[in-house]
Amino acid sequence: MTSHLAISVAFVYSLLLLLAANCDAGGISIYWGQNGQEGTLAETCASGNYKYVNLAFLTTFGNGQTPQLNLAGHCDPYSNGCTTLSSDIKSCQAQGIKVILSIGGASGSYSLVSAADARDVATYIWNNYLGGQSASRPLGNAVLDGVDFDIEGGSSEHYDDLARYLSAYSKRGKKVYLTAAPQCPYPDAWVGGALKTGLFDYVWVQFYNNPPCQYSSSAATNLEDSWKQWTTDIPATKIFLGLPAAPDAAGSGFIPVNDLTSQVLPAIKGSSKYGGVMLWSKFYDDQSGYSASIKNHV
């Protein structure tokens, strides 16, 4: 009797450990929207490779400008051509994948000139992409899960205000997730101040195009040292390792699969803030098969 009980308790305990490990397992975040040859949003989610999809980008906003969505060759928001994505977004969400609006990008026209300007942008995003109401929702009636700050130009001012205004909408029911894609040099020149608010859920740090803090086989500690600083100093729920999905997806910083799985991930996964890997972008991931190669290690 005792031995059976001991076996049962041990079995249950091992199951609980397995469940805990799976709950803590990292996920892959992908950027989709900047290449018409990368497949549909529904196909992206159906691949089973991703837990987060960032729709890239809302390239124009702030300073009195009419906000503009740019999804490259996928659809034309000016003729309501992107409203058909609503069913794709809902399909992704039904699979437990968070679909997030990424604002900014490397070549947008955006800046926030005051706290009031930040409030106006937050109101626009709430009404047109989140849980609010608007007669002209670019992506139809689907309600996105949050907003990603991929700020790479303009001014660094008032993104902390924007984060506060967007976060406040969580009180209206569905949580508004906040994410960001800072560069790995610390602190980030654009969203460093906003990140200090502690309002961000997921921060996918770009460990590429920045040789001093990215991985190289001859200087593996560069990335590890930077990772420790980000996970120690940023009050976010989870920090992600942002990487190019193929060698030509960025100027530098690509990590071969074997190096990532045998050296880099074991060195960083011990952090309680480890959330997984972010990849730029779906188009390049299609070329390389990177996410499929790493997902069981993330």
Side-chain angles (χ1 to χ4, degrees), residues 234-248:
I234 291 297
T237 308
K238 295 293 181 183
I239 307 289
F240 287 65
L241 178 71
L243 298 173
D248 55 351

Side-chain angles (χ1 to χ4, degrees), residues 184-237:
C184 61
Y186 186 91
D188 182 70
W190 308 113
V191 294
L195 290 174
K196 290 178 182 175
T197 63
L199 296 172
F200 286 79
D201 299 283
Y202 310 124
V203 178
W204 10 85
V205 184
Q206 297 185 40
F207 284 93
Y208 53 93
N209 292 335
N210 290 289
C213 51
Q214 69 193 31
Y215 173 84
S216 71
S217 55
S218 60
T221 56
N222 287 356
L223 185 150
E224 292 176 35
D225 291 344
S226 180
W227 174 265
K228 285 172 186 170
Q229 185 163 36
W230 279 99
T231 53
T232 301
D233 293 355
I234 291 297
T237 308

Side-chain angles (χ1 to χ4, degrees), residues 27-42:
I28 297 176
S29 173
I30 194 79
Y31 279 83
W32 178 93
Q34 283 302 293
N35 193 300
Q37 306 303 310
E38 63 194 345
T40 68
L41 180 59

Side-chain angles (χ1 to χ4, degrees), residues 123-138 140-141:
T123 301
Y124 173 85
I125 292 173
W126 167 255
N127 286 327
N128 287 276
Y129 293 97
L130 301 173
Q133 299 293 323
S134 169
S136 57
R137 290 174 66 91
N141 63 5

